[in-house]
Amino acid sequence: MKRAVRRAVFVLLPLLLMSTLLSGCWERQELNELAFVLALGLDKAEDGFEVTMQVVIPSAISSQTAGGMGSGIPVVTYSFPAASIYEAFRKFNLTSSRSGYMGHIRVVVIGEALAREGLGPVLDVLKRSREPRMDFYAMVAKEGTAKEVLNVLTPLDKLPANKLFNALDKSYQVSAKTVAVTLDRFIEDLLYEGKNPVLTGVEVQGDPEAGGEKSNTERTSPKTRLRYEDVAVFKKDKMLGWLNDGETVGYNFVVDNVVKNTGHVEGDDGKLIVIEGLESSTKRKVKIIGGEPHIFLEVKAICNVQEVQGTDHLETDQTIHELEKKTEERIIDRMEDAVSQINKRFNVDIFGFGQSIYRTHPKVWARLQEQNKDNYLKELPIHYKADVTINRIGTIDSSFADQIKE
């Protein structure tokens, strides 16, 4: 018996040791074999698509190189026309000694012409691929191409893809004039019942060709800049048009997407008083009244006074109360105008009102769809309310403009 056990050990032990040698990453690739794609641009072409890849140059951003972080152009862009997105990806290896790696993409930029035609094929290949993490921001190149956007070098952020990501991440938090939408969220909004998606627009200001020159980063006033401008409205996967700043702010209030925002109201002398919203939240309720759904929106905001251009004195409670009422009216006007204009121009529900009805009263939603289909928004009663508290007025009670001697 002992001899049999000993023989079994001698036979199995080598097999166990061999299995440890076989472990490891079968798809392993060395870093010096990879080209890290930081931004992806997708445009419409005559025979399909044009894909632009912004790839980082490791030696240009390495602190070990001569001149440190400031030497050399940090990225290179490759553009490939092809009948399909995936074919364009494969063309990268015809010009590069490294394999393109999509796991570190920061932004994907979509040309306006392609966005208007439809993003179904584009979304399929990106969602199907296992490399991208889908947490990158998506945006539309307003009145231009994604290729032009990704060609621009930026002075403050050495990597243009980082500039696009960080600027969008900051702007929506402090201005409410943009929307920061990841590709995952965009796809979810496409699939949700009673909801249509939006994406922020990015615009090339200046000469797109000059934006790709290193001299663009060596001027106090660059010839070419990238600026976030307006928000694109979609119906399913096709873009319909643009929201302006005011409509975007109203939209963000409705969907509870305002972190901070700055606006102004008129003082008693007709001059502006600038109010900054520090905290904001929007509660939404669906109530069935007379058998029909009603949407109730209530915004609560805490604000500060940041600037007084006139001679208003803010030391009394009555004055502060009047400012709060004016601010509440302005927020409600923003929301009403956004809903009205979007309903009038596009007739799409980017606010998710239909989704709210579907989740809380699915039978009512089914009847609404049967009766009105996509026109339910025109007949949907929406009730607005705002509650603003002004927390601080600054270090002085009133402007000293009226005390300046002539």
Side-chain angles (χ1 to χ4, degrees):
M1 184 67 181
K2 291 183 179 180
R3 182 177 296 178
V5 172
R6 188 177 302 148
R7 178 179 292 180
V9 171
F10 283 134
V11 172
L12 294 175
L13 185 60
L15 294 176
L16 292 173
L17 292 175
M18 287 178 63
S19 66
T20 62
L21 298 176
L22 296 175
S23 63
C25 297
W26 63 279
E27 285 188 308
R28 176 184 61 83
Q29 287 182 295
E30 299 292 342
L31 288 177
N32 58 8
E33 297 174 352
L34 298 176
F36 292 96
V37 180
L38 298 185
L40 195 63
L42 306 170
D43 287 304
K44 180 182 176 182
E46 290 185 4
D47 298 323
F49 306 93
E50 183 173 23
V51 175
T52 303
M53 303 164 70
Q54 187 181 99
V55 180
V56 64
I57 302 175
S59 61
I61 63 171
S62 172
S63 59
Q64 303 298 321
T65 58
M69 292 289 288
S71 61
I73 294 177
V75 294
V76 59
T77 58
Y78 299 87
S79 293
F80 308 100
S84 69
I85 301 292
Y86 189 77
E87 287 179 64
F89 289 163
R90 298 280 68 82
K91 284 187 175 183
F92 179 78
N93 291 106
L94 300 178
T95 59
S96 173
S97 60
R98 302 187 178 200
S99 300
Y101 180 67
M102 307 286 182
H104 292 295
I105 291 179
R106 302 286 274 166
V107 295
V108 58
V109 183
I110 302 161
E112 183 171 339
L114 178 58
R116 289 185 180 275
E117 186 176 85
L119 301 181
V122 173
L123 300 177
D124 178 86
V125 69
L126 292 176
K127 185 69 174 176
R128 193 180 298 272
S129 176
R130 57 185 173 174
E131 279 190 358
R133 291 179 294 185
M134 304 301 290
D135 59 351
F136 48 82
Y137 287 142
M139 59 198 68
V140 176
K142 184 180 180 183
E143 298 178 356
T145 65
K147 182 178 179 180
E148 291 173 343
V149 171
L150 296 187
N151 185 57
V152 177
L153 295 174
T154 53
L156 285 180
D157 294 88
K158 192 169 179 66
L159 299 175
N162 282 348
K163 180 263 189 286
L164 288 170
F165 181 92
N166 294 329
L168 184 55
D169 199 51
K170 297 288 191 302
S171 65
Y172 94 92
Q173 295 184 52
V174 300
S175 72
K177 294 180 180 179
T178 60
V179 290
V181 180
T182 63
L183 193 65
D184 246 356
R185 178 184 157 194
F186 182 81
I187 294 174
E188 287 175 1
D189 288 346
L190 282 176
L191 302 178
Y192 280 152
E193 190 83 13
K195 181 75 185 289
N196 283 282
V198 296
L199 288 177
T200 289
V202 58
E203 187 177 58
V204 177
Q205 295 184 324
D207 182 9
E209 292 295 327
E213 300 174 1
K214 192 172 185 296
S215 59
N216 194 58
T217 66
E218 297 173 337
R219 299 168 55 93
T220 55
S221 180
K223 290 183 178 180
T224 312
R225 301 174 186 266
L226 295 176
R227 173 185 170 84
Y228 286 117
E229 189 75 20
D230 299 339
V231 167
V233 174
F234 286 78
K235 184 174 184 179
K236 299 300 182 182
D237 68 330
K238 294 184 179 181
M239 176 184 161
L240 299 181
W242 296 97
L243 303 182
N244 60 33
D245 285 352
E247 292 164 346
T248 303
V249 172
Y251 162 81
N252 279 323
F253 270 115
V254 170
V255 299
D256 191 21
N257 200 33
V258 175
V259 181
K260 289 185 178 181
N261 183 48
T262 302
H264 62 265
V265 297
E266 289 188 359
D268 292 338
D269 57 0
K271 295 186 178 181
L272 301 184
I273 299 175
V274 178
I275 308 293
E276 181 182 30
L278 302 177
E279 297 178 19
S280 175
S281 64
T282 304
K283 291 184 178 180
R284 177 184 302 191
K285 290 184 179 180
V286 179
K287 295 182 180 180
I288 306 301
I289 302 176
E292 299 298 327
H294 289 237
I295 303 292
F296 289 81
L297 299 172
E298 182 179 4
V299 176
K300 289 189 176 182
I302 298 176
C303 305
N304 281 356
V305 175
Q306 295 292 355
E307 181 181 352
V308 179
Q309 295 185 358
T311 58
D312 290 71
H313 294 265
L314 308 180
E315 64 271 13
T316 66
D317 292 341
Q318 179 62 29
T319 304
I320 299 300
H321 183 67
E322 291 175 1
L323 277 182
E324 291 172 342
K325 289 299 180 185
K326 289 180 180 179
T327 306
E328 291 167 358
E329 291 171 2
R330 183 169 178 80
I331 291 174
I332 291 173
D333 288 343
R334 290 282 202 187
M335 292 192 291
E336 287 182 332
D337 183 64
V339 173
S340 173
Q341 290 300 317
I342 292 167
N343 185 14
K344 180 180 179 180
R345 289 192 285 138
F346 306 120
N347 191 30
V348 292
D349 187 357
I350 62 174
F351 304 100
F353 293 144
Q355 185 184 66
S356 298
I357 299 171
Y358 170 73
R359 287 181 172 179
T360 56
H361 301 85
K363 291 184 179 180
V364 174
W365 169 250
R367 177 170 54 80
L368 204 63
Q369 285 288 282
E370 185 179 347
Q371 293 175 348
N372 299 318
K373 294 186 178 180
D374 291 339
N375 294 318
Y376 66 87
L377 193 61
K378 293 182 178 181
E379 307 296 331
L380 186 64
I382 304 172
H383 308 269
Y384 304 92
K385 183 180 178 181
D387 182 9
V388 171
T389 300
I390 293 181
N391 198 30
R392 297 177 182 274
I393 60 172
T395 58
I396 55 177
D397 294 333
S398 60
S399 174
F400 50 80
D402 58 339
Q403 301 177 20
I404 298 176
K405 296 181 181 179
E406 296 184 359

